Amino acid sequence: MARDFERESEFFEQVVHINRVTKVVKGGKNFSFSALVVIGDGNGRVGYGAGKAKEVPVAIRKGIEIAKRNMVQVPLKGTTIPHETLGEFGAGRVLLKPASEGTGVIAGGPVRAVVETAGIQDILTKSLGSTNPHNVVKATFAALLSLRSEADVMAMRGLSDRVVAAPAPKPAPPAPPAAAPVAPVAATPPVEAAPGA
């Protein structure tokens, strides 16, 4: 399933991107790091966070804490998603499509980190816009949050109390009415021609 996860808690944790930030001040340069982290329980709950600190491990830890506070529940349909969706954030656009069982996760970089930590095992994805990891992750979350389960749609349409019944068998066509018996017709003797006619 997911790769290179640190399983220190009940969540899968994956670092998507680490950026070194340099701030020029009067006395020189101050270096710090920002870490973009995605966490999930592998069963539909997933979150992301960006932590900043002077050291990488502290930045990752802060990102994990922020992600835990921002977790969302994603509707799943078996090992994939219920329907196709397109998420947008800024210039980032991510297309998610359900896939048949056994397809695997067809995704790259930030999108793969999000869908794998969410527990999605079969999905087709395509990043259509910006390659900025922050925008791609946020666009992926926008796509996941736009998903609706079958039960939600039925409830929204007022169909939750209906049960889809099997179609009733078609009635057999009525039999044609029996024909009335026909009385046999007696054969008439041939008429002989009169002599001399």
Side-chain angles (χ1 to χ4, degrees), residues 36 88-94 130 132-140:
L36 179 62
E88 297 185 10
F89 185 89
R93 297 172 67 224
V94 174
S130 169
N132 181 323
H134 291 263
N135 282 350
V136 173
V137 167
K138 291 174 183 177
T140 306

Side-chain angles (χ1 to χ4, degrees), residues 110-181:
V111 182
R112 173 178 286 272
V114 175
V115 297
E116 282 187 342
T117 52
I120 302 171
Q121 299 173 23
D122 302 297
I123 191 169
L124 303 170
T125 71
K126 181 64 181 174
S127 180
L128 302 170
S130 169
T131 57
N132 181 323
H134 291 263
N135 282 350
V136 173
V137 167
K138 291 174 183 177
T140 306
F141 269 82
L144 293 175
L145 289 173
S146 69
L147 292 174
R148 295 289 177 264
S149 67
E150 188 176 351
D152 292 341
V153 175
M154 290 183 71
M156 187 169 55
R157 296 181 181 179
L159 305 174
S160 57
D161 56 341
R162 297 188 186 180
V163 177
V164 180
K170 293 183 179 179

Side-chain angles (χ1 to χ4, degrees), residues 46-135:
V46 65
Y48 74 94
K52 300 175 185 178
K54 296 289 185 182
E55 298 177 359
V56 174
V58 181
I60 294 174
R61 197 178 318 120
K62 285 184 178 180
I64 292 171
E65 291 173 1
I66 295 170
K68 285 180 180 178
R69 295 197 297 266
N70 298 325
M71 295 196 76
V72 295
Q73 182 70 39
V74 178
L76 302 178
K77 185 177 181 181
T79 59
T80 186
I81 57 177
H83 56 85
E84 181 178 329
T85 181
L86 178 68
E88 297 185 10
F89 185 89
R93 297 172 67 224
V94 174
L95 174 67
L96 305 180
K97 295 177 71 174
S100 58
E101 191 171 350
T103 302
V105 177
I106 310 298
V111 182
R112 173 178 286 272
V114 175
V115 297
E116 282 187 342
T117 52
I120 302 171
Q121 299 173 23
D122 302 297
I123 191 169
L124 303 170
T125 71
K126 181 64 181 174
S127 180
L128 302 170
S130 169
T131 57
N132 181 323
H134 291 263
N135 282 350

